[in-house]
Amino acid sequence: MAEITNICIGVQARSTSTRFPRKVLEYIGSKRMLDEVIDRCFESSNYINRFTLKRGVMVSIALLIPENDELHELYRKERPNLMIFTGSEDNVLSRYKKLCDKTRADYVVRITSDCPRIEPPLITKCINVAVKNQCDYVSNVDEDTRTAPDGHDCEVISKRLIEYMMEHADKEEKEHVTLMARRNPPDWANVAHIIGYTDQSNQKISVDTPDDLERVRADDSIVKLKIERAHSKSGRRSVHRY
């Protein structure tokens, strides 16, 4: 059997957002925003584990939160099978370093909790590109090359790049996790860009304000209505998500 490449998706979250406190606990339909993000990560990981394990890939999920955040106790009780790691609120990079160390991950995937519309196939694509091409950094968020909407953000970072950034990044870079990977990566880093076929970078579907949340809720209602229409037209097994 091939050697396993260990990948851990780290969902970065906190309840103390300055612009919109406790936004991750707001509901979109019948589900909290944070649960929506976590479940989409699990959907991606389940697909990869089901179809690529024979090629030596295993994916797990963890929640990364600041120390003493109310999310820790809530999610420890409600989702006991979910790994939870706590760390510095400002040095978010250190949370990903802790995740990498504790899970012995070869790659960590950065997903932020303000992206409840992140699409599972996009996460799968980023992971597959990183593993297949032995990349140190794969993302769709680079300021100069981005085509993805704000809210579909996905980044894959190798263990050795995490370790390098922890040693060399300044305070701002550690707070924003991947600034160094995008703007000043080491010469040895193998970097890849995920670029779509249309430019949607001017669209915003992340949640930073109450108005953003209402837009996402409206979008969620429209999508669910179209799923029900498809069920009515062609049966409940007719809907396939891409």
Side-chain angles (χ1 to χ4, degrees):
M1 182 176 178
E3 182 179 350
I4 298 296
T5 299
N6 183 16
I7 298 165
C8 193
I9 301 174
V11 179
Q12 172 188 326
R14 62 174 179 157
S15 64
T16 56
S17 171
T18 53
R19 281 185 289 181
F20 190 179
R22 304 183 85 242
K23 67 182 179 181
V24 296
L25 298 177
E26 294 284 347
Y27 278 80
I28 299 172
S30 61
K31 192 181 295 186
R32 291 191 190 107
M33 188 167 84
L34 179 52
D35 286 296
E36 185 72 46
V37 176
I38 292 170
D39 289 345
R40 291 179 181 221
C41 290
F42 269 113
E43 184 177 337
S44 173
S45 68
N46 290 340
Y47 176 85
I48 295 173
N49 290 340
R50 187 180 308 122
F51 293 104
T52 67
L53 179 57
K54 61 184 179 181
R55 297 207 299 268
V57 178
M58 176 60 75
V59 182
S60 56
I61 314 294
L63 178 61
L64 309 184
I65 57 178
E67 294 171 350
N68 303 315
D69 195 291
E70 67 174 296
L71 297 175
H72 183 271
E73 188 65 17
L74 177 63
Y75 277 80
R76 184 184 67 83
K77 291 180 178 178
E78 293 194 359
R79 303 192 72 147
N81 295 324
L82 177 67
M83 291 189 293
I84 301 176
F85 295 95
T86 61
S88 169
E89 181 163 4
D90 297 324
N91 185 353
V92 186
L93 177 61
S94 68
R95 287 188 239 163
Y96 281 92
K97 175 64 162 60
K98 184 176 183 179
L99 170 68
C100 191
D101 291 342
K102 294 293 185 180
T103 64
R104 298 183 179 180
D106 300 296
Y107 291 95
V108 296
V109 183
R110 182 185 182 218
I111 302 292
T112 57
S113 57
D114 58 359
C115 294
R117 310 313 282 170
I118 186 75
E119 296 185 348
L122 172 61
I123 302 173
T124 301
K125 177 67 174 180
C126 291
I127 291 172
N128 284 339
V129 168
V131 174
K132 182 178 179 181
N133 298 282
Q134 297 183 323
C135 295
D136 291 291
Y137 181 65
V138 176
S139 85
N140 63 350
V141 303
D142 184 276
E143 297 91 336
D144 296 323
T145 66
R146 181 179 192 127
T147 61
D150 180 352
H152 278 185
D153 303 22
C154 184
E155 300 171 275
V156 184
I157 316 153
S158 71
K159 175 182 177 180
R160 68 171 184 165
L161 184 55
I162 287 279
E163 292 174 343
Y164 177 89
M165 292 191 298
M166 274 298 297
E167 183 176 350
H168 295 90
D170 61 25
K171 181 178 179 181
E172 181 185 15
E173 290 167 337
K174 289 178 178 178
E175 179 181 358
H176 295 284
V177 186
T178 58
L179 276 182
M180 176 175 280
R182 299 199 304 274
R183 298 178 182 177
N184 189 30
D187 293 339
W188 49 258
N190 181 11
V191 175
H193 304 268
I194 303 297
I195 299 177
Y197 289 89
T198 58
D199 184 11
Q200 303 176 61
S201 58
N202 62 337
Q203 298 181 26
K204 187 179 191 310
I205 51 177
S206 61
V207 176
D208 293 310
T209 68
D211 287 343
D212 293 336
L213 178 62
E214 290 309 311
R215 283 196 297 272
V216 168
R217 283 172 170 165
D219 178 75
D220 183 69
S221 297
I222 291 170
V223 171
K224 287 176 179 175
L225 175 61
K226 292 187 176 183
I227 289 173
E228 287 304 314
R229 287 175 179 171
H231 289 166
S232 298
K233 289 170 68 74
S234 307
R236 299 201 68 82
R237 294 188 177 183
S238 66
V239 175
H240 301 269
R241 312 303 293 271
Y242 63 85

